[in-house]
Amino acid sequence: MNFADSEIVNSIMVERGMTPSETPEDASVVFINTCSIRDNAERKVWNRLHDFRKMKRQRNGDMVVGILGCMAERLREKFLEKEKLVDLVVGPDAYRELPSLLAEVEDGRKAVNVILSQEETYADITPVRTTGNGVSAFVSVMRGCDNMCSFCVVPFTRGRERSRAVESVLDEFKILSDQGYREVTLLGQNVNSYNHEGRNFAELMYRCSLIDPEMRIRFSTSHPKDFPDEFLQVMQERHNICNYIHIPIQSGNNEVLERMRRTYTREEYLDLIDKMKEMIPGVSLSTDIIAGFCGETEAQHRDTLDVMKRVRYDLAYMFAYSERERTLAHRKFEDDVPGEVKKRRLSEIIQLQQEIAAEQNRLEIGKRHVVLAEGRSKRSAEQLSGRTDTNKMTIFDKGSYQSGDYVEVEIIDANSATLKATALRKVTLSETVAEPITV
Ligand code: 5AD
Ligand code: SF4
């Protein structure tokens, strides 16, 4: 979300006549787009801010520093009072005001706007895309979160859920298709809770998928509560919607899930996973897991490990619980799992996931996939990297292939993070569909 938001900010600044600079040293204005999700995310920002403090001193104060995003929302006064070097504090719904806020700073004042909105979606702002190599792009379709999971600060920093009109998303898709983009990720804090005047995410995805049959569609991130059959049917029927679902479980124990206010049980979650695997054969699944939430016992932790073994996620994002102010967990529960125990449980989770991912990936050896080439691999200019439909990072010899090509490959080797492949031929997405599609 922050990458996508930064692209919107970029666009607003360019409209104002500014140009992006290559390095902070060359910039007259530096914005830090921040995240509050866990304490270590915030710590990284404080460290970065110290670097900028030095830089500003070296330049005799001739540099504007602004804090954007969730930390701006959460810590407004702290930045202005304690951190004298910050000139501007702007929350995630106030980016349109950046030009006038900058004008205030130019007049010698500090500027703040952390007002959250019920409507702002930045639907009419075309982002200046700086990520994705001209091949893949993010399109933000909804913002905010109404779920109030007890551990999570997002509802406080990003405000209420709101969705963009279907037509405005489709228009952005058309532009991206014309510009040659090959992959779009629909983004939202709870993307599958998308709802604009009664039109839901299944309809949005379906309509998006018709715009360009050669453009892949992904989505992130989703909540298990909003997966109607209709949505899985759209995934099943449309060849260009990728067979990959990120579906955070957080914990595998019902009491912990209840305290987390996740609104589903372990059994309901596992039933949903079974349905996904049945309706979308070969579907790839990833998740988010929190280790050491308030009151978590050893047995409850083992329930999480057990669910991981049952689902066999291809990928997981795993975290130690980090208490956040204002959340229900902060007000109601004690952060009583000792740091050392959280750490140990987290490493057990990570180790298990690595084993599962390596096994899952080894099953791919000998299989064929269509990979969208995204750019040169990290290791070598002679190799391209890209992802399979199922979101697995794959590398293969460059040959005469280029970024933006769909390449049919055969997997020849695998570890827990990456597949190695032999490129076979360039293909179109449409020709890889066995049956003509009628919906
Ligand atoms: N502590 C640890 N992890 C958290 N997440 C959200 N809030 C916290 C927290 N307080 C994780 C959840 C969520 C992901 C984006 O971050 O797993 O799905
Ligand atoms: Fe946070 Fe829960 Fe909303 Fe996700 S669904 S952003 S974890 S409150």
Side-chain angles (χ1 to χ4, degrees):
M1 285 301 289
N2 271 5
F3 274 112
D5 279 7
S6 293
E7 293 182 342
I8 286 166
V9 169
N10 199 335
S11 167
I12 292 169
M13 301 306 287
V14 168
E15 272 293 295
R16 199 205 181 213
M18 300 189 100
T19 44
S21 71
E22 290 293 320
T23 64
E25 285 80 2
D26 300 330
S28 48
V29 179
V30 170
F31 293 144
I32 313 179
N33 198 355
T34 61
C35 174
S36 288
I37 196 96
R38 285 170 293 277
D39 187 51
N40 57 2
E42 292 200 343
R43 242 179 290 136
K44 280 185 207 161
V45 172
W46 289 116
N47 290 340
R48 200 86 170 101
L49 209 46
H50 280 111
D51 299 342
F52 289 133
R53 176 192 284 149
K54 263 192 232 141
M55 204 182 290
K56 189 166 178 165
R57 249 191 240 126
Q58 281 159 4
R59 289 164 60 173
N60 296 322
D62 184 22
M63 174 178 164
V64 174
V65 177
I67 294 286
L68 311 186
C70 289
M71 278 175 83
E73 196 62 51
R74 200 176 91 70
L75 299 168
R76 22 188 132 173
E77 286 88 13
K78 189 167 174 196
F79 281 115
L80 292 173
E81 285 161 16
K82 289 205 179 152
E83 288 290 321
K84 297 269 183 277
L85 108 141
V86 174
D87 306 291
L88 199 89
V89 178
V90 185
D93 286 346
Y95 298 148
R96 272 178 212 275
E97 302 305 318
L98 278 169
S100 59
L101 293 166
L102 269 176
E104 278 184 40
V105 173
E106 278 159 16
D107 286 348
R109 278 169 288 160
K110 302 255 169 191
V112 190
N113 187 338
V114 290
I115 298 169
L116 287 173
S117 154
Q118 306 262 6
E119 287 96 33
E120 183 61 271
T121 59
Y122 301 109
D124 56 317
I125 297 178
T126 307
V128 173
R129 303 197 191 267
T130 50
T131 55
N133 219 358
V135 175
S136 51
F138 294 123
V139 172
S140 171
V141 299
M142 61 84 70
R143 297 176 74 83
C145 179
D146 288 349
N147 283 333
M148 290 291 188
C149 300
S150 66
F151 52 81
C152 183
V153 77
V154 166
F156 303 95
T157 58
R158 284 193 168 257
R160 303 302 301 262
E161 274 176 31
R162 64 225 102 119
S163 299
R164 265 172 83 170
V166 172
E167 275 66 31
S168 94
V169 176
L170 297 178
D171 287 346
E172 196 168 339
F173 252 75
K174 281 187 202 117
I175 294 170
L176 289 167
S177 161
D178 290 346
Q179 290 173 340
Y181 280 88
R182 298 289 84 195
E183 179 184 83
V184 168
T185 303
L186 299 175
L187 280 185
Q189 240 80 45
N190 273 293
V191 79
N192 57 332
S193 307
Y194 173 94
N195 188 317
H196 189 263
E197 295 175 354
R199 300 167 84 179
N200 66 12
F201 193 56
E203 177 175 352
L204 179 75
M205 284 264 279
Y206 176 66
R207 302 274 310 267
C208 287
S209 75
L210 295 178
I211 289 194
D212 181 349
E214 288 301 310
M215 189 139 88
R216 272 185 174 174
I217 300 174
R218 299 184 186 277
F219 54 95
S220 189
T221 174
S222 38
H223 191 291
K225 79 182 165 71
D226 274 318
F227 270 102
D229 286 359
E230 175 201 16
F231 176 72
L232 295 177
Q233 274 156 10
V234 169
M235 281 190 76
Q236 189 182 47
E237 284 161 9
R238 297 298 304 157
H239 72 285
N240 53 341
I241 299 178
C242 290
N243 289 346
Y244 166 65
I245 306 176
H246 181 66
I247 181 157
I249 185 165
Q250 314 296 2
S251 164
N253 174 271
N254 282 340
E255 279 166 40
V256 176
L257 286 170
E258 168 75 37
R259 279 201 297 281
M260 287 178 161
R261 298 281 190 277
R262 285 294 288 179
T263 72
Y264 53 83
T265 61
R266 161 198 178 94
E267 292 74 24
E268 285 164 347
Y269 181 92
L270 287 171
D271 284 349
L272 177 60
I273 295 288
D274 284 345
K275 195 194 295 180
M276 286 172 173
K277 288 182 176 172
E278 193 186 304
M279 287 182 69
I280 309 165
V283 68
S284 162
L285 299 167
S286 64
T287 202
D288 291 348
I289 297 173
I290 298 178
F293 185 61
C294 310
E296 186 189 70
T297 64
E298 214 45 46
Q300 290 171 338
H301 161 62
R302 281 197 299 272
D303 281 346
T304 298
L305 298 173
D306 180 64
V307 162
M308 293 169 68
K309 288 179 201 155
R310 282 170 198 242
V311 179
R312 300 186 65 76
Y313 297 105
D314 294 279
L315 180 75
Y317 300 91
M318 300 155 284
F319 317 103
Y321 172 60
S322 162
E323 185 173 57
R324 312 313 290 139
E325 276 172 19
R326 292 176 77 191
T327 57
L328 183 72
H330 176 250
R331 282 177 278 135
K332 202 167 158 194
F333 308 128
E334 206 182 322
D335 181 12
D336 54 358
V337 178
E340 283 308 302
V341 177
K342 277 185 196 167
K343 235 190 199 162
R344 193 252 308 146
R345 288 183 190 166
L346 178 61
S347 36
E348 285 174 14
I349 289 171
I350 292 173
Q351 198 187 336
L352 174 62
Q353 179 52 33
Q354 266 174 357
E355 285 163 22
I356 293 173
E359 284 164 20
Q360 293 285 99
N361 284 352
R362 270 199 299 275
L363 293 175
E364 300 290 344
I365 296 173
K367 289 191 186 156
R368 290 187 178 190
H369 281 281
V370 175
V371 171
L372 172 59
E374 289 168 29
R376 58 159 284 185
S377 87
K378 273 188 214 142
R379 293 235 179 100
S380 154
E382 296 308 308
Q383 287 188 317
L384 284 172
S385 73
R387 280 168 299 152
T388 61
D389 177 296
T390 50
N391 203 39
K392 290 183 189 278
M393 190 50 78
T394 307
I395 52 172
F396 55 91
D397 286 346
K398 188 167 182 295
S400 55
Y401 303 108
Q402 298 173 5
S403 302
D405 286 348
Y406 287 113
V407 183
E408 188 178 22
V409 303
E410 184 170 313
I411 309 302
I412 51 170
D413 200 3
N415 61 31
S416 64
T418 316
L419 305 179
K420 236 166 113 181
T422 305
L424 302 175
R425 62 187 181 121
K426 187 174 158 175
V427 292
T428 62
L429 264 196
S430 315
E431 74 180 87
T432 61
V433 190
E435 300 285 329
I437 290 167
T438 48
V439 180

